[in-house]
Amino acid sequence: MLDDRKLAVLRAIVEDYVSTNEPVGSKALAERHNLNVSPATIRNDMAVLEEQGYIAQPHTSAGRVPTDKGYRLFVDRLSQVKPLSSAERRAIETFLVGAVDLDDVVTRTVRLLAQLTRQVAVVQYPTLTRSTVRHVELVPLSERRVMLVLITNTGRVEQRVIELHEVADDARIAHLRAVLNACLDGCGLSSVPELVADLPERVPAEDRPMAATILSVLLETLVERHDEKIVFAGAANLAGADFSSGLRDVLEALEEQVVLMRLLGETSPDTPAALTVRIGSENPYSGLRGTSIVATGYGSGDRQLARLGVLGPTRMDYPVTMGAVRAVARYVSQILAAS
Amino acid sequence: MLDDRKLAVLRAIVEDYVSTNEPVGSKALAERHNLNVSPATIRNDMAVLEEQGYIAQPHTSAGRVPTDKGYRLFVDRLSQVKPLSSAERRAIETFLVGAVDLDDVVTRTVRLLAQLTRQVAVVQYPTLTRSTVRHVELVPLSERRVMLVLITNTGRVEQRVIELHEVADDARIAHLRAVLNACLDGCGLSSVPELVADLPERVPAEDRPMAATILSVLLETLVERHDEKIVFAGAANLAGADFSSGLRDVLEALEEQVVLMRLLGETSPDTPAALTVRIGSENPYSGLRGTSIVATGYGSGDRQLARLGVLGPTRMDYPVTMGAVRAVARYVSQILAAS
DNA sequence: ACTTGGCACTCGGGAACACAGAGTGCCAGA
DNA sequence: TCTGGCACTCTGTGTTCCCGAGTGCCAAGT
């Protein structure tokens, strides 16, 4: 159906269009790429490609532009992820080394990725649910108030101030803390609810109301933060590009956690480190026709903790972008594994 | 020099230009505002205003547009901060009530402010240096690693993982924690360095290297985070407006913590709750000609903890914007004081 | 001394128009 | 199956023209 030369033509169209941002015509193609055929032949191929929906012309007698379907074929079969230059690798290292805490890692990562790809970078904070409890701390603030601090193995820290209905002295708090830690230390967050289910029964009767209050806040914390935190950077890189749906829609989407969440997508369980590419209309949000997302999972070792990626115009350099996303994801995974 | 009528003309020009975004001419002015004079008279006044630099014409035979100096005079002498409608007040309350922690308060605030003003909102996290220590926690992670958690009275939590040069058992850590808390609880962060200066001498000799390591990280934390965290929201609101310096510059500035920091400015010590307005070229960053900043301090009680504000085109509705910024700052201050 | 109506002048922006250039589709011949 | 030739169709750009909004100035009025 599509012989090798037609595929080569499609590849050439995508490459030229990405680099020039102008519809590409048969003559230019014949010159710039050594396809060893005449423009007329290319025109015939183009007619076929157009008929099949891989390319389109903005108007009669203009060059051709790849369609979403065309980019899809290009990404799937006609391109190879481009590895980073050694200079870029060094940049990544120097940029990420020296991050002091999780916040810092995420912030640096998102900026790095934005700078590297010259597009908008999006990074999801490591998921709470898949991490494990490293420590639970109860800090008495005043007679009737304690602060609950939950530290996970990914370095994430959640805190809540809890109002108690009774006065709680330090000793009782300390005891409860000990019980909590004994019970939860090292356990996965998802198993916390069952683990603490019978906990009130294991404390002195007079402490049970307090324990119940604290537990309910703890469980609430786990649930509430299920909608994960996501940050982005590099919005300035959108300024040059023009989107079919207006820049405004894109910026609005970026500020909607929920939308971003769905954009990054889910890590496929079988190939966790695979790159996900969503092109134009493939993505689930109407304001983002005209943009593509390249994303992947990251996390220490075999555990995928969260996802990161970039968002840019459909007309983007996929091989380079995919290379950068993959490389950054690997480095961040290393950093997280080491800490 | 400028009689009342000339000031009225300037006010009318600013108001009309803000609402229409088109240069305003003498005839339109005479009609829309009841100044009770003829267009010719207004033209004379305009000539004077232009000579003095309060207004300008984009080209000969176009209407007049306020200059930065004109907006300045308008803000200082010709306008009054406009209080919010009761619907808006209610919106603020429902939006901010229910925030679970400091992160949440800040996030909600910045979004609220962006939505309310339809501009870019900027909020600085409460300053570390002016808050006080509520609790210091040392959590053993493994034999040679502890996590230092610093909780302030503003609800801010800083954490660092510390690598020790020796094995530290729980008892020794617990002791050090007790000493630290006894020493620092309730003290201002700025006084921490002097308070812990002689601390190594107050622990058993064999613990001193460990104490020194931990202290150095603690002090480092205080210094490093001196460059405060700032967040913004509502970048989508910039999409419609056009800036002299291009949208790109503005977005870039927004992603530079340092620039944002300087934009928000310093709270004046004598009138901490005063609104600061920086108009166009008055602000310190060249990429932001064409934008104005309305900012103010916020914080619990008499203590100003940090600043918040909005950024928009110089052509903005100052009275309304100032009203919104002031109102939000007050509500946030209340929320923080209560927690 | 200020205000007003009149008037000539200026300039930007939109409409109408022509034109060059790039690109296409198709066809006949190699 | 490829190629060169050719007629055709667009867009984008440059030019011209004109309308209208707005100005500055001046002389007359209050």
Side-chain angles (χ1 to χ4, degrees), chain A residues 243-288:
Chain A
F243 299 95
S244 49
S245 52
L247 182 57
R248 178 175 196 108
D249 285 341
V250 179
L251 284 170
E252 268 171 7
L254 280 174
E255 293 196 343
E256 279 301 324
Q257 305 276 326
V258 192
V259 174
L260 278 190
M261 199 65 193
R262 287 180 55 205
L263 278 186
L264 282 179
E266 310 242 317
T267 310
S268 67
D270 38 336
T271 53
L275 286 162
T276 313
V277 182
R278 300 198 178 189
I279 297 167
S281 52
E282 291 172 16
N283 82 48
Y285 182 67
S286 70
L288 295 179

Side-chain angles (χ1 to χ4, degrees), chain A residues 18 71 119 292-294 310-319 321:
Chain A
V18 164
Y71 285 121
Q119 271 150 12
S292 287
I293 290 94
V294 176
V310 309
L311 177 150
T314 33
R315 183 190 79 72
M316 70 160 74
D317 188 333
Y318 291 95
T321 306

Side-chain angles (χ1 to χ4, degrees), chain A residues 100-264:
Chain A
V100 294
D101 60 7
L102 181 66
D103 247 26
D104 207 17
V105 171
V106 172
T107 309
R108 287 177 188 226
T109 302
V110 74
R111 292 192 181 193
L112 168 67
L113 196 51
Q115 204 172 312
L116 219 50
T117 59
R118 301 192 170 272
Q119 271 150 12
V120 181
V122 184
V123 177
Q124 177 187 8
Y125 270 67
T127 314
L128 257 189
T129 37
R130 285 197 195 165
S131 21
T132 61
V133 177
R134 206 170 232 172
H135 188 78
V136 180
E137 185 59 43
L138 289 173
V139 182
L141 297 179
S142 65
E143 272 196 341
R144 288 172 181 276
R145 288 162 75 196
V146 285
M147 177 177 273
L148 170 72
V149 181
L150 177 70
I151 304 172
T152 76
N153 68 335
T154 48
R156 191 153 166 170
V157 176
E158 294 288 323
Q159 79 265 16
R160 289 286 187 288
V161 175
I162 305 174
E163 305 279 341
L164 297 177
H165 304 296
E166 72 221 276
V167 175
D169 62 69
D170 289 3
R172 291 164 66 194
I173 299 264
H175 178 242
L176 186 55
R177 171 171 52 209
V179 173
L180 268 176
N181 275 301
C183 174
L184 296 177
D185 203 8
C187 301
L189 290 196
S190 49
S191 57
V192 166
E194 28 189 300
L195 286 172
V196 299
D198 65 339
L199 194 135
E201 294 154 27
R202 280 184 279 151
V203 298
E206 71 268 26
D207 285 354
R208 283 185 197 152
M210 179 180 81
T213 308
I214 291 175
L215 279 186
S216 73
V217 172
L218 173 61
L219 295 178
E220 195 179 280
T221 305
L222 296 178
V223 175
E224 261 181 17
R225 283 289 163 140
H226 191 69
D227 56 347
E228 295 300 334
K229 207 171 150 189
I230 298 189
V231 294
F232 69 90
N237 294 325
L238 291 175
D242 50 341
F243 299 95
S244 49
S245 52
L247 182 57
R248 178 175 196 108
D249 285 341
V250 179
L251 284 170
E252 268 171 7
L254 280 174
E255 293 196 343
E256 279 301 324
Q257 305 276 326
V258 192
V259 174
L260 278 190
M261 199 65 193
R262 287 180 55 205
L263 278 186
L264 282 179

Side-chain angles (χ1 to χ4, degrees), chain B residues 5 37-38 40-41 43-44 59-61:
Chain B
R5 198 189 55 218
V37 285
S38 75
T41 311
R43 278 205 290 279
N44 291 331
H59 46 262
T60 326
S61 98

